[in-house]
Amino acid sequence: MKMERDGMMTKQTKKMFAKVGGTTVAATLLTAGLATPTYAAEADQSQEAMDLYLDAQQNTNDIRWEQMLKYSETSIELQDRLLREAYKSNSSFSMGFDAEGDAVQPFLPQVQMAKNVLSKLEFETKSKIDPSTNEAYGDVDVNLNNFNIASAYMYQNEEKTALKVPSLYRKYFSFQNDKYGELIERLDGMSGMPAQETPGAPAMDTTGMMTSFPNIVKANETNFTFNELKTMGQDYLNVITDELEGAEFSLEEGVDYDGETYDKVSVQIDEEKAQEMIKALLEELKSDETFWNAVMQQMEMQGMPSDMNSEEMIMADLERAIENVDKLSLPEGISIEAYIQDNVVEHEMITMDLKAEGSEEAVTVDMIGSFNKEGEDYEASGEISFGQAGQEEGFTLSYTEDGTSQTDGLAVDNEFRFVVDAVEDANDLTVGLNVQSEYTETTSNSTFDVVLEGDMFEGQPIPEIGGYVNTTLTKGSEDEYSQDTDLGLDLNFDNTQMGSVMASVDFNMEQDVTFTDDLEFPEVVEGDNAVNLNEVSDEELQKIGQDIQKNMKRYSNLFMQIFGETLFAPKK
């Protein structure tokens, strides 16, 4: 809001002084018999063009955000609350499999076995998360043909993590999170398999760089909520807006483009100003505490050595990058053309050439975007291409999006493409994804197919890959949500030598989430219902290992009995 007020004050102040200055200078020049005040008029026109462009950009962004929210508000709300609030959830997961075709016939018994087992396999999970105490709990039951074949339990707080698999051992195994590396090093030593070292390489942590075990709740908190991402994006947009002050703006009214009439705003940012803009963005990144707090927590949780996750070192690298921006040459600066109608940027082109210090070759970067909205229907597209100046080779990232309103929702067709043009060596490549979706306030149903084209694939059998993702999300009360997700993956493959294969895998997950502070966690007490792996002796560890082996043998016999009954159960 302050930015908007400051922008309004800048606009009004500059216009006021332009008018006052224009009147005074005009009187002086007329008295002297000279020309009219062209400089003040040009400054005013440049400010008007800049205001028009920035206002239209902000309005266009707001429209796109509103489109996203209309059919995803409940989903975004749920994801944000899962990152920041205490909750408990129950989930079930099942899957199915099918395959047919000429190439499958020799393996038909194995395929039937897989289909039979997977159709009767189900996972049930429960979880609890409490950010106020950094406690987490989870359990999973694996059921086959309505028999429980395995269970596992996990509990964690800031100090320790505990795991229990009752079929293997009756107690939890616990360890201190900050001594995880020591535990792994000790277990590796007992196994007689010391970590391998590369001759000439610097000494590395034998734990594989993971010296402490991450806390699940803290790891969850390093993810950004929707509003946090939006705020961060707006902060960087504000930096660009500030840096555009002083760029060369011009306005042409009533310009014809693509069969429509627009106000065309042209922006020319010279090399020095462009370098200043890049520096300002890097400075904003350097001072972005929210971003760096998340990065540092992630690196710490991954157990990276202190000489690698030092914030001071990263900041020093950023400072060097800022100092080296002057070595990046933009000989033509940055050119922008925007076509505006009804305060919406419907078409925009951004072009720049980049050259490294001492290089004679420039890389041309072209960015093209479009957006058109009529009622609830809209079309949008974006493209960014990179190529050597004056050459045809390069690569392009692009997308298109067409939205059509329906009685109770919105239908959206998306196309995503990554294209490599390699004229000389004939290795053209196109990889893409086509997605067709239908959205309502509670459902999202999408089908997709993968695109693989180009000279690189010529003469090779290319599989047809597609699938679907269907989700239903309902909010039962202020703190209760239910989500049902179906995911399918289809593969069609036709090979003249091997024959045809048509395979599909289907997954279903049902989840109920309740947000509440009334959570009970199990008591994990070392010496009672838990074994502290950090403190137990080598002899005790060996005895525990022997007990686990006995239980595994007993368990495997029971499992094979259940597995056999499942395989040969009569069809219903």
Side-chain angles (χ1 to χ4, degrees):
M1 183 62 69
K2 182 180 183 298
M3 286 292 302
E4 295 175 358
R5 289 198 300 268
D6 291 346
M8 290 173 63
M9 290 177 66
T10 300
K11 176 180 176 182
Q12 293 168 354
T13 303
K14 289 191 174 184
K15 283 190 174 183
M16 178 182 70
F17 277 101
K19 291 178 180 177
V20 173
T23 303
T24 305
V25 172
T28 304
L29 294 178
L30 284 171
T31 302
L34 299 176
T36 55
T38 55
Y39 177 80
E42 289 176 358
D44 196 50
Q45 290 173 0
S46 179
Q47 183 66 40
E48 182 182 359
M50 178 178 172
D51 292 341
L52 174 64
Y53 175 71
L54 296 179
D55 289 346
Q57 283 284 15
Q58 185 64 59
N59 184 55
T60 306
N61 291 338
D62 291 342
I63 292 173
R64 297 307 306 272
W65 281 116
E66 289 173 6
Q67 283 181 320
M68 181 187 298
L69 282 172
K70 186 169 184 179
Y71 297 104
S72 57
E73 187 172 2
T74 303
S75 176
I76 292 173
E77 176 186 294
L78 173 60
Q79 296 306 316
D80 285 356
R81 296 187 69 179
L82 288 173
L83 294 177
R84 299 292 181 260
E85 298 183 32
Y87 69 89
K88 60 183 179 181
S89 71
N90 298 323
S91 303
S92 64
F93 177 84
S94 59
M95 62 185 298
F97 169 77
D98 194 13
E100 57 185 38
D102 300 336
V104 177
Q105 290 301 317
F107 309 100
L108 198 56
Q110 292 91 330
V111 170
Q112 287 297 124
M113 181 185 300
K115 288 171 60 176
N116 201 18
V117 170
L118 292 178
S119 66
K120 299 176 181 179
L121 187 65
E122 183 181 29
F123 298 84
E124 294 181 345
T125 67
K126 296 178 181 178
S127 63
K128 301 175 185 178
I129 295 287
D130 190 348
S132 67
T133 60
N134 287 331
E135 288 181 284
Y137 169 80
D139 67 49
V140 57
D141 291 320
V142 183
N143 301 318
L144 182 63
N145 200 24
N146 295 322
F147 288 98
N148 179 265
I149 59 174
S151 296
Y153 305 87
M154 185 281 297
Y155 169 75
Q156 186 185 60
N157 57 32
E158 286 193 84
E159 290 77 31
K160 65 184 177 185
T161 298
L163 303 167
K164 181 171 74 170
V165 181
S167 57
L168 300 182
Y169 201 74
R170 66 187 184 280
K171 294 184 177 182
Y172 281 95
F173 293 115
S174 69
F175 56 86
Q176 273 73 51
N177 295 331
D178 59 354
K179 295 182 178 180
Y180 175 75
E182 297 176 12
L183 174 63
I184 297 302
E185 186 175 0
R186 177 189 175 195
L187 293 177
D188 283 344
M190 291 182 63
S191 68
M193 298 177 62
Q196 298 295 317
E197 295 184 3
T198 303
M204 295 184 64
D205 197 322
T206 56
T207 66
M209 297 173 67
M210 189 116 167
T211 57
S212 62
F213 197 79
N215 179 270
I216 294 172
V217 180
K218 289 183 177 179
N220 207 35
E221 291 175 346
T222 62
N223 296 301
F224 297 115
T225 66
F226 177 82
N227 284 330
E228 287 171 341
L229 287 173
K230 186 177 179 181
T231 299
M232 290 172 63
Q234 187 63 50
D235 289 341
Y236 287 93
L237 185 60
N238 290 341
V239 171
I240 295 175
T241 299
D242 291 342
E243 290 300 318
L244 283 175
E245 288 280 356
E248 183 181 333
F249 284 81
S250 61
L251 171 63
E252 297 178 66
E253 297 179 344
V255 175
D256 291 331
Y257 183 84
D258 198 26
E260 297 283 342
T261 301
Y262 296 93
D263 290 335
K264 177 185 175 182
V265 174
S266 300
V267 187
Q268 185 61 45
I269 306 170
D270 62 28
E271 181 177 41
E272 183 179 355
K273 193 66 180 175
Q275 290 171 338
E276 290 176 2
M277 184 180 295
I278 296 172
K279 289 180 182 178
L281 287 170
L282 290 174
E283 289 285 2
E284 177 68 20
L285 176 61
K286 182 181 173 183
S287 62
D288 192 339
E289 293 184 3
T290 303
F291 175 77
W292 289 116
N293 286 341
V295 170
M296 294 303 161
Q297 286 188 45
Q298 283 286 354
M299 295 178 74
E300 182 181 349
M301 287 184 296
Q302 292 172 18
M304 302 186 75
S306 59
D307 61 340
M308 291 183 66
N309 69 1
S310 167
E311 186 172 357
E312 290 76 14
M313 290 185 64
I314 294 176
M315 292 299 110
D317 288 340
L318 262 178
E319 190 60 42
R320 279 193 294 272
I322 294 171
E323 293 173 356
N324 289 330
V325 168
D326 292 335
K327 298 179 181 179
L328 179 65
S329 175
L330 295 89
E332 304 299 326
I334 301 175
S335 300
I336 303 174
E337 289 185 357
Y339 294 84
I340 300 169
Q341 187 180 89
D342 297 329
N343 202 28
V344 172
V345 180
E346 293 196 359
H347 304 279
E348 185 170 23
M349 286 77 76
I350 303 175
T351 304
M352 69 186 82
D353 289 340
L354 303 174
K355 291 174 65 176
E357 186 179 36
S359 174
E360 295 298 325
E361 297 181 349
V363 175
T364 297
V365 182
D366 291 315
M367 290 174 276
I368 302 173
S370 67
F371 175 69
N372 179 264
K373 188 174 187 292
E374 294 183 8
E376 294 299 315
D377 298 346
Y378 69 93
E379 295 179 353
S381 65
E383 177 181 298
I384 178 170
S385 61
F386 300 84
Q388 188 174 330
Q391 303 294 325
E392 295 184 15
E393 295 92 339
F395 64 90
T396 302
L397 291 166
S398 65
Y399 84 96
T400 62
E401 182 175 337
D402 294 335
T404 305
S405 62
Q406 297 182 321
T407 304
D408 59 347
L410 181 71
V412 179
D413 290 342
N414 289 104
E415 291 185 2
F416 304 90
R417 293 290 186 273
F418 172 68
V419 179
V420 176
D421 291 320
V423 178
E424 292 184 359
D425 54 11
N427 281 328
D428 289 357
L429 169 69
T430 298
V431 178
L433 188 68
N434 297 330
V435 184
Q436 297 80 39
S437 305
E438 293 185 354
Y439 299 98
T440 70
E441 292 184 358
T442 58
T443 64
S444 155
N445 299 323
S446 300
T447 59
F448 64 88
D449 60 273
V450 177
V451 177
L452 299 171
E453 299 173 345
D455 297 332
M456 186 175 291
F457 299 112
E458 188 174 352
Q460 301 183 38
I462 305 301
E464 296 179 6
I465 304 172
Y468 64 89
V469 181
N470 299 331
T471 300
T472 299
L473 175 61
T474 56
K475 187 175 181 179
S477 68
E478 186 64 27
D479 294 315
E480 295 181 344
Y481 300 79
S482 294
Q483 183 167 274
D484 188 349
T485 301
D486 292 307
L487 168 65
L489 184 64
D490 300 319
L491 174 67
N492 292 331
F493 186 80
D494 196 359
N495 187 300
T496 54
Q497 296 179 343
M498 298 177 57
S500 61
V501 176
M502 291 166 285
S504 63
V505 183
D506 304 296
F507 305 91
N508 172 260
M509 186 177 77
E510 298 178 2
Q511 183 181 32
D512 295 322
V513 179
T514 301
F515 291 93
T516 176
D517 293 324
D518 184 18
L519 297 174
E520 293 184 3
F521 292 92
E523 291 188 12
V524 178
V525 181
E526 286 73 9
D528 182 11
N529 64 344
V531 176
N532 188 333
L533 296 178
N534 292 104
E535 298 178 359
V536 69
S537 66
D538 291 351
E539 292 75 16
E540 289 176 296
L541 270 180
Q542 290 177 351
K543 175 64 170 58
I544 290 172
Q546 293 171 357
D547 291 343
I548 290 176
Q549 288 181 345
K550 292 179 182 177
N551 291 333
M552 284 183 66
K553 185 175 181 180
R554 186 182 305 112
Y555 170 76
S556 63
N557 293 333
L558 176 62
F559 174 77
M560 292 306 299
Q561 178 183 348
I562 298 173
F563 188 71
E565 292 177 357
T566 301
L567 286 178
F568 303 106
K571 294 183 178 180
K572 296 183 180 180

